[in-house]
Amino acid sequence: MLDIQALRNDLAGVAERLATRGFVLDAARFQELEAQRKSIQTRTQESQAKRNSSSKLIGQAKAKGEDVSAIMAEVANLGDELKQLETRLSEVQHELNAFLAVIPNTPHGGVPIGKSEADNLEVRKVGNIPKFAFEVKDHVSIGEGLDGLDFDTAAKISGARFSLLKGPMARLHRALAQFMLDTHADQHGYTEVYVPYIVNADSMRGTGQLPKFEEDLFRVPRVMGEDGEQNFYLIPTAEVPVTNIVRDEIVPLEKLPMKFVAHTPCFRSEAGSYGRDTRGMIRQHQFDKVELVQIVHPEKSYEGLEELLGHAEVILQKLGLPYRVVKLCTGDMGFSAALTYDIEVWLPAQNTYREISSCSNFEAFQARRMQARFRNAQGKPELLHTLNGSGLAVGRTLVAVLENYQQADGSVMIPEVLRPYMGGMEKLSL
RNA sequence: GGAGAGGUGGCCGAGAGGUCGAAGGCACGCCCCUGCUAAGGGCGCAUACGAGCUUAAACUUGUAUCGAGGGUUCGAAUCCCUCCCUCUCCGCCA
């Protein structure tokens, strides 16, 4: 959520910044709602003040045993008018909140202006693209050839966009997650957390998935009391449960920064991408991801983002996978982000780089929604900044390992750092 | 699934229709005292949104907020209804 003060003070400026990411702010609507809110709120408060002071008089008079009927009569009519005003006020406030809840974050000044992926800025390329003396296969052919990937059975069990891993392939998938988790926890100073995979709507609102992107989520309906229906949701990323650790909290200054790493499955309905990446495990309804989250002091958030990005890169470097880092342009950034770096890994079969991590600074956007604060040096609560990034998407990392380490005979070499997790195995073969 | 007990400020915890934004304690901040430390004393200390004043802050003032939403009442933390959450015991269960 944006700071409503920013909208009040500099509506045109905010609108301009939002326009760079393709969001048209209905400024007139905002002004109208604000004007309504202001006038109704003033009148309501005047009316409430009158009621309160009269009621106080009644209390005092009664305590002295005086006659009270005169004042009672005076206050009698206040009720209806006040109730109406209060109702109107809460309506307007709800409209205003709904209006604010769907406005994306304003991009940081360093974000390149652009419309799409094509306008992203390449920051650096790392590693050497492997050369193959034979015709490269994609991960599906490699995996099926090794009897490790089985999409047909997954489709029978569940449907499209699910995968089934078997034998050493399943173990390699687990090895990757373990390796990532260990690296971040032991070498990068993150606290490992195990979190719920099903969360409530408040948490989804906190990180910005709701109210705008419900169609991307898997909803778990629950029937509550009489009129009560309250949904749970499967997490689309560990960002949601992990960042919400600090929702409605006031963190002591000395506890900052907080760094968490979690390995979770992620569930996405992938509504709106029906035709894309239908083959293989690039785009699934269920995939595993190791996620890094930092909860930081506002002045440290960009420093933190560079650090976090570096931590994610280490994984690729240790795995010996070539990648590049791109800074997303305004038009390609997610709803809540102020600045995002994507890490893209080289996939030989696609002859291109594909996203394997996304590292963002949300500044106070999520913190404001979550009321996640810390106590500053003056002792006053202040909004935190939140950051997160994949470190990394496990399924896509497996794809990258299979494709980059494939051999002419259909086998796949196992990167050194993973071998301890594979019982010393050096290669996947039939 | 059955039975019970609770949800109050950063934390603990009183309050049971009026003068309660809420006693007391802890934590925190400033000050005093003290050779150091410990102990002691004084003062301050919720958040949000308005209005006034202001370049701004500070300040003054109004309103709201005692799990959430509704209701009763001139007036609700306190009474009624619905819901959510937490805890304890029994059952079941990995």
Side-chain angles (χ1 to χ4, degrees):
Chain A
M1 202 136 68
L2 294 181
D3 184 1
I4 194 167
Q5 298 295 356
L7 287 163
R8 287 183 185 137
N9 296 335
D10 184 21
L11 187 57
V14 173
E16 203 174 308
R17 291 216 279 158
L18 289 172
T20 65
R21 47 142 72 224
F23 182 86
V24 180
L25 183 70
D26 190 344
R29 168 100 176 121
F30 177 75
Q31 283 175 314
E32 187 197 320
L33 283 173
E34 262 291 282
Q36 278 183 28
R37 194 218 90 235
K38 210 163 178 172
S39 96
I40 296 169
Q41 182 169 341
T42 308
R43 281 192 285 152
T44 307
Q45 293 190 349
E46 276 169 9
S47 193
Q48 284 167 329
K50 208 180 294 172
R51 179 204 60 196
N52 288 349
S53 59
S54 300
S55 293
K56 202 167 261 187
L57 284 179
I58 292 172
Q60 286 166 350
K62 271 199 167 171
K64 291 185 215 152
E66 292 169 7
D67 178 46
V68 146
S69 53
I71 325 178
M72 296 277 275
E74 207 174 293
V75 183
N77 329 329
L78 264 177
D80 279 352
E81 190 201 342
L82 185 56
K83 192 153 290 176
Q84 264 186 349
L85 282 170
E86 283 175 343
T87 308
R88 281 288 294 135
L89 182 61
S90 106
E91 280 167 10
V92 172
Q93 273 166 342
H94 276 107
E95 284 178 63
L96 206 47
N97 283 341
F99 181 85
L100 288 174
V102 296
I103 302 175
N105 203 355
T106 43
H108 180 263
V111 177
I113 311 271
K115 283 193 171 54
S116 73
E117 215 178 311
D119 302 313
N120 293 341
L121 186 74
E122 183 174 290
V123 176
R124 59 180 161 268
K125 273 187 179 148
V126 179
N128 297 315
I129 290 173
K131 298 242 186 329
F132 294 93
F134 53 93
E135 197 175 332
V136 296
K137 294 192 282 190
D138 77 352
H139 71 279
V140 179
S141 307
I142 299 166
E144 288 178 344
L146 291 167
D147 195 26
L149 285 180
D150 182 350
F151 295 100
D152 295 339
T153 304
K156 177 180 72 179
I157 298 167
S158 297
R161 295 201 188 282
F162 287 91
S163 23
L164 177 71
L165 280 57
K166 275 191 293 189
M169 188 68 75
R171 183 169 187 174
L172 183 60
H173 183 260
R174 172 163 59 91
L176 281 165
Q178 302 268 86
F179 162 66
M180 294 175 194
L181 211 43
D182 286 349
T183 304
H184 297 308
D186 298 342
Q187 290 168 37
H188 298 157
Y190 290 76
T191 302
E192 179 176 349
V193 286
Y194 171 83
V195 293
Y197 303 156
I198 301 179
V199 302
N200 59 34
D202 283 341
S203 294
M204 286 294 183
R205 261 190 295 276
T207 34
Q209 280 75 18
L210 289 180
K212 216 176 175 179
F213 305 101
E214 183 161 21
E215 78 269 15
D216 295 332
L217 302 172
F218 284 107
R219 192 170 59 202
V220 184
R222 332 150 74 181
V223 179
M224 311 303 278
E226 313 236 327
D227 18 53
E229 178 191 311
Q230 200 174 313
N231 294 312
F232 277 147
Y233 296 88
L234 298 185
I235 58 169
T237 159
E239 164 192 354
V240 178
V242 177
T243 309
N244 273 281
I245 288 173
V246 291
R247 171 155 58 86
D248 294 323
E249 296 291 331
I250 300 179
V251 178
L253 185 58
E254 63 271 16
K255 284 208 173 164
L256 298 179
M258 299 168 88
K259 301 184 189 178
F260 298 110
V261 60
H263 166 218
T264 72
C266 304
F267 303 94
R268 300 190 181 175
S269 81
E270 295 292 346
S273 46
Y274 294 109
R276 300 188 63 191
D277 300 312
T278 48
R279 181 176 163 86
M281 47 186 313
I282 295 286
R283 190 176 300 271
Q284 301 278 279
H285 287 313
Q286 172 188 321
F287 62 96
D288 276 29
K289 186 154 61 70
V290 170
E291 186 76 1
L292 304 172
V293 171
Q294 292 196 13
I295 310 292
V296 303
H297 190 285
E299 285 165 16
K300 299 286 175 60
S301 65
Y302 280 95
E303 219 173 283
L305 179 63
E306 295 298 326
E307 180 194 86
L308 185 149
L309 172 67
H311 292 153
E313 288 183 66
V314 163
I315 301 297
L316 288 165
Q317 289 160 13
K318 291 194 177 199
L319 288 171
L321 294 169
Y323 66 92
R324 64 171 191 162
V325 176
V326 300
K327 193 189 262 189
L328 295 195
C329 74
T330 49
D332 200 27
M333 275 198 310
F335 179 76
S336 304
L339 190 147
T340 299
Y341 291 109
D342 271 7
I343 303 176
E344 301 178 338
V345 69
W346 177 256
L347 293 188
Q350 296 193 9
N351 199 39
T352 187
Y353 291 97
R354 290 301 304 262
E355 177 185 345
I356 199 168
S357 171
S358 193
C359 303
S360 302
N361 185 354
F362 303 94
E363 299 185 356
F365 189 84
Q366 294 181 326
R368 189 171 294 109
R369 290 172 162 249
M370 292 191 298
Q371 282 304 296
R373 296 171 295 175
F374 69 102
R375 210 168 274 286
N376 67 19
Q378 289 72 47
K380 291 289 170 204
E382 200 179 319
L383 292 172
L384 291 158
H385 278 195
T386 58
L387 317 170
N388 72 52
S390 350
L392 309 159
V394 178
R396 288 190 181 181
T397 308
L398 179 69
V399 168
V401 168
L402 294 180
E403 294 195 3
N404 282 280
Y405 283 89
Q406 63 180 298
Q407 308 295 308
D409 64 358
S411 66
V412 173
M413 297 303 297
I414 295 171
E416 296 268 0
V417 290
L418 296 179
R419 291 180 191 173
Y421 295 92
M422 295 294 290
M425 194 184 292
E426 290 175 8
K427 126 200 309 204
L428 297 182
S429 56
L430 264 186

